[in-house]
């Protein structure tokens, strides 16, 4: 009996001694981020803390789906979602999560905090409540296939307005903003930089030239690479990674001058994180210069990614200092100033309404829109006709007033149906 008890005690002690720590992450990040960062974090963890760490990676299909998943979890148990870290998805998403009370404050160690400035080009790199920190920087622009453009004798685009040119009809791919946070941000950039009427005219014109709206941010990139289309509205890192792998002689990416933003791609510890200490260690690792080099260095370089170039911008100033002359792209956001500043609070407050409006009048009615767009240009598209074709179903003031009513599903569905009917009628009226 004593021998059995001694054996059990040794067995339990061994299990405790060698049990790995655990971390649960929810993230819309693409697979290449997971493939590079998670093995590197595990190696770092073992060396630093002398124990293994198991990482569970959750993704419900995209940023909006991941947020819905968390909301459902906190609705069942307000104290915890059972998840430790939310990583990636754009700053507007994290403003929303912070306002909902789903994020926990965490102050970085002083040494690390000194390398992650409060702002870059006037853009905050972390929330004033310190519930989230930018883990990379994103910008937005136009990704294009140089070979297709050359074959079709089309010019390389330089601005968002270029995408409205009917010469690109059927040659553009765009993601549905209801499924893609980056698509929502690009639509906001256009609307806030151009103004309400002109913004909708440009968004409608781009939709008219779009072959199809996709369910994922990565699908338009794939369409450009495969040559199915020549152009895509794109987040920078998807484009830069492909250019790094396939060559700048084949693919290009342009950030419209004075018409784009820098947007932090944050990481945060979730309220009631079951493995909070490990979550803190993960946040510190992701923001370290060691990990940040994975974002900016080419595949196979010392300290760079092993499998694929990630083509992102770092938030750690030391990462740039240590990699001068070695990076995929010598662009350094800490030395730039020509960026727009989005009204994040308004964008966050109106995100659901805005996406539903885009969905109703541009995406769900896309077949009718494209038919009307073709007719419009065959019959002679004057500025007046284009303005009438693109006129939204409500004023900006009426749009902003909808946020407080959008939680009423009956009202919301009735309004969306009215928008769809309005759009169908408008597009069918083209002679």
């Amino acid at each position: 009996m004593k021998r059995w008890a001694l054996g059990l005690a040794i067995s339990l002690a061994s299990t405790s001694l060698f049990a790995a720590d655990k971390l649960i992450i929810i993230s819309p990040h693409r697979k290449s981020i997971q493939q590079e960062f998670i093995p590197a974090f595990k190696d770092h963890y073992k060396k630093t803390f002398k124990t293994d760490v198991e990482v569970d990676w959750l993704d419900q299909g995209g940023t909006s789906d991941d947020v819905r998943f968390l909301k459902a979890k906190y609705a069942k148990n307000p104290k915890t979602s059972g998840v430790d870290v939310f990583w990636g998805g754009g700053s507007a998403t994290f403003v929303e999560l912070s306002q909902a009370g789903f994020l926990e404050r965490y102050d970085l160690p002083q040494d690390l905090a000194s390398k992650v400035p409060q702002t870059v080009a006037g853009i905050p790199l972390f929330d004033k409540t310190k519930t989230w920190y930018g883990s990379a920087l994103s910008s937005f622009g136009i990704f294009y296939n140089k070979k297709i453009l050359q074959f079709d004798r089309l010019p390389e685009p330089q601005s968002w307005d270029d995408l409205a040119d009917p010469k690109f009809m059927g040659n553009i791919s765009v993601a549905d903003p209801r499924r893609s946070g980056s698509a929502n941000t690009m639509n906001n950039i256009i609307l806030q930089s151009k103004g309400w009427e002109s913004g909708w005219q440009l968004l409608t014109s781009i939709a008219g030239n779009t072959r199809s709206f996709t369910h994922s941010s990565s699908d338009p990139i794939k369409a450009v690479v495969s040559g199915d289309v020549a152009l895509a509205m794109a987040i920078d890192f998807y484009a830069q990674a492909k250019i790094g792998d396939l060559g700048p002689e084949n693919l290009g990416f342009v950030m419209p001058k004075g018409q784009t933003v820098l947007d932090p791609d944050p990481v945060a510890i979730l309220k009631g994180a079951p493995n909070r200490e490990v979550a803190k260690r993960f946040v510190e690792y992701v923001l370290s210069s060691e990990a940040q080099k994975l974002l900016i260095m080419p595949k196979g370089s010392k300290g760079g990614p092993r499998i694929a170039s990630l083509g992102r911008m770092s938030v750690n100033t030391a990462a740039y200092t240590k990699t001068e002359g070695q990076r995929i792209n010598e662009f350094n956001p800490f030395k730039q100033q020509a960026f727009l500043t989005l009204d994040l609070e308004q964008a966050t407050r109106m995100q659901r309404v805005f996406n539903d409006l885009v969905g109703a009048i541009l995406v769900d009615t896309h077949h009718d829109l494209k038919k009307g767009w073709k007719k419009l240009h065959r019959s002679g598209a004057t500025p007046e006709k284009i303005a009438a074709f693109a006129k939204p179903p409500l004023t900006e003031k009426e749009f902003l007033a909808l946020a407080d009513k959008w939680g009423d599903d009956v009202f919301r569905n009735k309004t969306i149906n009215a928008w769809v009917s309005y759009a169908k009628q408008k597009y069918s009226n083209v002679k």
Side-chain angles (χ1 to χ4, degrees):
M1 183 70 178
K2 287 181 179 178
R3 186 177 297 169
W4 178 85
L6 179 61
L8 178 62
I10 292 172
S11 174
L12 289 173
S14 299
T15 301
S16 175
L17 183 63
F18 295 106
D21 288 342
K22 189 167 184 178
L23 180 69
I24 305 169
I25 300 170
I26 187 165
S27 173
H29 275 316
R30 66 196 194 276
K31 195 171 184 66
S32 56
I33 294 279
Q34 180 184 356
Q35 289 173 330
E36 297 295 346
F37 270 82
I38 300 308
F41 173 63
K42 287 182 175 181
D43 290 343
H44 163 82
Y45 201 91
K46 180 77 169 179
K47 290 175 188 173
T48 307
F49 305 107
K50 312 304 179 189
T51 189
D52 293 318
V53 61
E54 294 177 0
V55 179
D56 288 347
W57 184 281
L58 309 177
D59 184 12
Q60 303 302 304
T63 304
S64 299
D65 298 310
D66 288 344
V67 170
R68 277 192 289 271
F69 174 83
L70 284 178
K71 285 181 176 178
K73 287 288 185 181
Y74 281 117
K76 288 181 180 178
N77 183 354
K79 292 184 178 180
T80 181
S81 65
V83 182
D84 298 305
V85 169
F86 196 113
W87 185 25
S91 56
T93 296
F94 283 75
V95 170
E96 178 186 358
L97 292 171
S98 182
Q99 289 175 348
F102 294 164
L103 306 181
E104 285 192 359
R105 180 186 176 105
Y106 175 56
D107 291 271
L108 296 177
Q110 185 55 43
D111 180 57
L112 180 56
S114 68
K115 297 178 178 67
V116 181
Q118 187 171 354
T119 63
V120 55
I123 310 300
L125 279 183
F126 53 85
D127 187 65
K128 59 187 177 184
T129 62
K130 296 187 178 178
T131 53
W132 60 260
Y133 293 88
S135 65
L137 287 165
S138 303
S139 193
F140 305 87
I142 305 163
F143 182 48
Y144 53 94
N145 188 313
K146 292 184 177 181
K147 300 298 184 184
I148 297 297
L149 290 177
Q150 289 165 9
F151 182 80
D152 291 339
R153 297 183 180 180
L154 294 171
E156 293 183 5
Q158 297 300 317
S159 69
W160 300 118
D161 294 270
D162 290 344
L163 300 185
D165 195 316
K167 67 167 67 95
F168 293 122
M169 198 179 295
N171 233 335
I172 299 174
S173 183
V174 179
D176 183 341
R178 295 170 298 186
R179 304 295 299 272
S180 164
S182 58
N184 168 263
T185 300
M186 285 184 278
N187 288 341
N188 263 301
I189 290 170
I190 288 172
L191 201 61
Q192 289 195 27
S193 65
K194 303 289 287 184
W196 185 255
E197 295 291 340
S198 296
W200 276 109
Q201 184 167 317
L202 181 51
L203 288 173
T204 305
S205 300
I206 293 171
N209 287 338
T210 294
R211 178 173 293 186
S212 63
F213 284 93
T214 70
H215 290 300
S216 163
S217 298
S218 61
D219 287 339
I221 299 297
K222 294 172 186 174
V224 170
V225 170
S226 67
D228 287 343
V229 297
L231 311 167
M233 294 170 66
I235 195 165
D236 62 341
F237 60 84
Y238 278 136
Q240 297 290 4
K242 290 300 181 185
I243 293 170
D245 289 342
L246 301 174
E249 69 278 8
N250 297 310
L251 302 168
F253 177 75
V254 62
M255 292 188 291
K257 192 173 181 180
Q259 293 182 313
T260 191
V261 301
L262 276 181
D263 188 38
D265 198 358
V267 62
I269 299 172
L270 290 164
K271 182 179 72 171
N275 306 288
R276 193 174 194 278
E277 192 61 32
V278 184
K280 287 161 56 177
R281 292 169 177 176
F282 180 75
V283 170
E284 290 173 19
Y285 172 73
V286 166
L287 298 181
S288 70
S289 58
E290 174 193 354
Q292 291 280 302
K293 286 164 70 175
L294 294 172
L295 300 173
I296 57 180
M297 294 291 284
K299 178 181 70 175
S301 61
K302 185 178 179 180
R306 299 172 300 109
I307 300 169
S309 299
L310 300 180
R312 303 214 63 177
M313 289 182 275
S314 170
V315 297
N316 187 310
T317 54
Y320 284 102
T321 305
K322 294 176 180 178
T323 58
E324 289 294 348
Q326 305 170 53
R327 300 189 294 272
I328 296 173
N329 187 338
E330 284 307 301
F331 182 86
N332 183 340
F334 294 100
K335 296 180 179 179
Q336 306 296 320
Q337 293 182 337
F339 292 96
L340 293 172
T341 301
L342 282 184
D343 184 338
L344 277 182
E345 288 195 9
Q346 178 174 303
T348 301
R349 181 170 174 265
M350 301 307 301
Q351 182 172 354
R352 194 166 172 232
V353 187
F354 184 37
N355 285 345
D356 282 340
L357 180 54
V358 172
I361 69 175
L362 302 184
V363 183
D364 296 340
T365 52
H366 192 227
H367 175 74
D368 302 274
L369 190 161
K370 285 199 298 182
K371 278 180 68 175
W373 185 247
K374 286 178 183 177
K375 274 187 184 180
L376 188 67
H377 285 280
R378 283 175 188 156
S379 63
T382 64
E384 293 75 20
K385 286 182 178 179
I386 293 174
F389 184 81
K391 186 176 177 63
L394 71 175
T395 65
E396 184 174 17
K397 185 177 180 181
E398 290 168 339
F399 168 74
L400 294 172
L402 289 176
D404 295 332
K405 304 175 183 177
W406 221 240
D408 181 338
D409 286 338
V410 174
F411 174 81
R412 173 175 172 258
N413 290 330
K414 184 179 178 181
T415 305
I416 290 172
N417 289 335
W419 287 343
V420 168
S421 298
Y422 168 87
K424 283 179 173 287
Q425 184 66 45
K426 181 177 61 166
Y427 302 143
S428 66
N429 283 343
V430 177
K431 303 300 182 187

